[in-house]
Amino acid sequence: MNADLEEEIGSINAIYGTEVLTRLTDSTIILDVPDAPVKLRVNVPSTYPLTSPIIDRPETSGTDLKRGQASAFAHKAHEILTSAFRAGEPCMFTFIDELKDVLSAEAESNVHRTKTRSATELETADKPQKSVHAVQHAIESEASGPAWTISEVVTEKKSVFIARAAYVPKPSEAKANVQHLLSHDKKAAKATHNITAWRMKDDETGVVYRDCDDDGEDAAGSRLLHLLELMNVWNVMLVVSRWYGGIHLGPDRFRIINSVARDAILKAGLVGESTQKENSHVTKKR
């Protein structure tokens, strides 16, 4: 198996805290999709990442899948993998992350249909209309969350780093976004550190809000906040997750933390004074 794939497998398994990717042969891996009752056999050519991996077939299917669902899931996975692949760039993490998003959306949709159906039954039984609204509000609240832009994964001496950037107009929303991330993303919740920083300005009052949290990684939060200032970024929050690999990195960890944070900001298109001028555009994207 080539070195790029070996490193990517190690990084992904470190992030998810489980054996998501298992090597079957030099050219075949088993993908145990998080939160999905199916495994996929993936063929990886020796020329990867210049050449795309290929979804071979479902390896196993659980009792939760009806007949034909495993094949349908494999087909959907193939479409997502095709979209995620860029020649010369490792794509397995992006592929898995997007696949998880699809699974979460489908699960959320199923919950929505179930709860809405239950609410309709309550209404038919002459229950107060308020019960229907309460159920719908609960569904919307559960589904709400920031539109994170995620950096490239960086692995250094078995430590894994990922940054997330998102538009935020209020400090209260930034805190809520962190809570939402840690309660809904299992791999982020398992990170050794989730370092945060945000910087906001109220256009009407001119009041500036900024805050940071090291989460045990001494001085890392203040360095993230300083990065936001250097990049002249407003109304943006950062969360950098680190999964410690057992080897101390020394000052290098700060270089990597800032590097992935900058990558997320650039990918989100939230750089410089354009952040303030293009708030309406960013809001539409959310």
Side-chain angles (χ1 to χ4, degrees):
M1 183 176 291
N2 67 50
D4 287 329
L5 185 58
E6 285 280 15
E7 183 176 351
E8 195 172 13
I9 288 176
S11 298
I12 290 171
N13 287 340
I15 291 168
Y16 284 96
T18 183
E19 294 300 317
V20 173
L21 294 175
T22 305
R23 182 173 63 178
L24 194 61
T25 68
D26 284 346
S27 61
T28 305
I29 57 176
I30 301 300
L31 171 60
D32 189 356
V33 184
D35 303 323
V38 63
K39 295 181 181 180
L40 297 175
R41 182 187 289 256
V42 183
N43 292 334
V44 185
S46 60
T47 51
Y48 175 80
L50 293 175
T51 308
S52 175
I54 299 171
I55 303 296
D56 186 359
R57 63 177 185 274
E59 179 68 9
T60 61
S61 58
T63 56
D64 291 339
L65 286 182
K66 296 178 181 178
R67 181 176 297 179
Q69 281 187 305
S71 296
F73 179 75
H75 179 71
K76 174 61 70 176
H78 171 74
E79 292 179 345
I80 295 172
L81 178 58
T82 300
S83 175
F85 176 71
R86 298 288 183 276
E89 300 178 9
C91 67
M92 291 304 294
F93 177 79
T94 301
F95 162 55
I96 293 171
D97 217 43
E98 292 182 4
L99 191 57
K100 273 179 59 64
D101 286 344
V102 170
L103 289 169
S104 297
E106 290 179 351
E108 214 165 75
S109 176
N110 290 336
V111 170
H112 181 92
R113 285 196 295 268
T114 300
K115 290 188 175 182
T116 301
R117 184 168 59 250
S118 298
T120 303
E121 291 169 357
L122 286 173
E123 182 181 358
T124 304
D126 294 328
K127 295 290 183 181
Q129 186 65 27
K130 183 173 64 174
S131 298
V132 179
H133 295 320
V135 171
Q136 291 175 339
H137 176 72
I139 294 168
E140 291 169 359
S141 298
E142 181 69 16
S144 65
W148 295 110
T149 297
I150 303 177
S151 72
E152 294 295 322
V153 181
V154 173
T155 304
E156 182 73 18
K157 296 179 181 177
K158 298 184 179 180
S159 280
V160 180
F161 299 80
I162 292 178
R164 292 173 172 84
Y167 165 79
V168 282
K170 300 176 182 178
S172 59
E173 186 174 332
K175 295 175 182 177
N177 287 348
V178 175
Q179 293 174 352
H180 186 277
L181 173 66
L182 298 182
S183 61
H184 288 74
D185 192 311
K186 293 179 182 178
K187 62 181 183 293
K190 291 180 180 179
T192 312
H193 309 288
N194 284 296
I195 308 147
T196 58
W198 53 80
R199 184 172 182 250
M200 303 151 203
K201 181 190 292 183
D202 189 317
D203 282 339
E204 295 183 0
T205 64
V207 176
V208 171
Y209 303 93
R210 55 189 176 189
D211 200 0
C212 60
D213 186 354
D214 297 336
D215 194 30
E217 186 73 278
D218 290 344
S222 60
R223 290 169 184 262
L224 280 186
L225 185 56
H226 184 55
L227 176 68
L228 294 177
E229 293 168 350
L230 288 176
M231 296 183 72
N232 193 27
V233 173
W234 290 102
N235 297 344
V236 171
M237 71 175 296
L238 286 168
V239 179
V240 176
S241 301
R242 179 191 180 186
W243 292 262
Y244 180 58
I247 301 173
H248 293 293
L249 300 183
D252 269 356
R253 68 190 189 277
F254 298 121
R255 172 184 58 80
I256 299 170
I257 288 168
N258 275 16
S259 176
V260 293
R262 185 175 184 276
D263 183 38
I265 292 171
L266 292 175
K267 285 186 174 182
L270 300 171
V271 182
E273 60 186 14
S274 62
T275 303
Q276 283 289 85
K277 295 178 181 178
E278 297 179 355
N279 275 350
S280 59
H281 172 68
V282 176
T283 303
K284 288 178 182 178
K285 286 174 66 180
R286 295 176 73 248

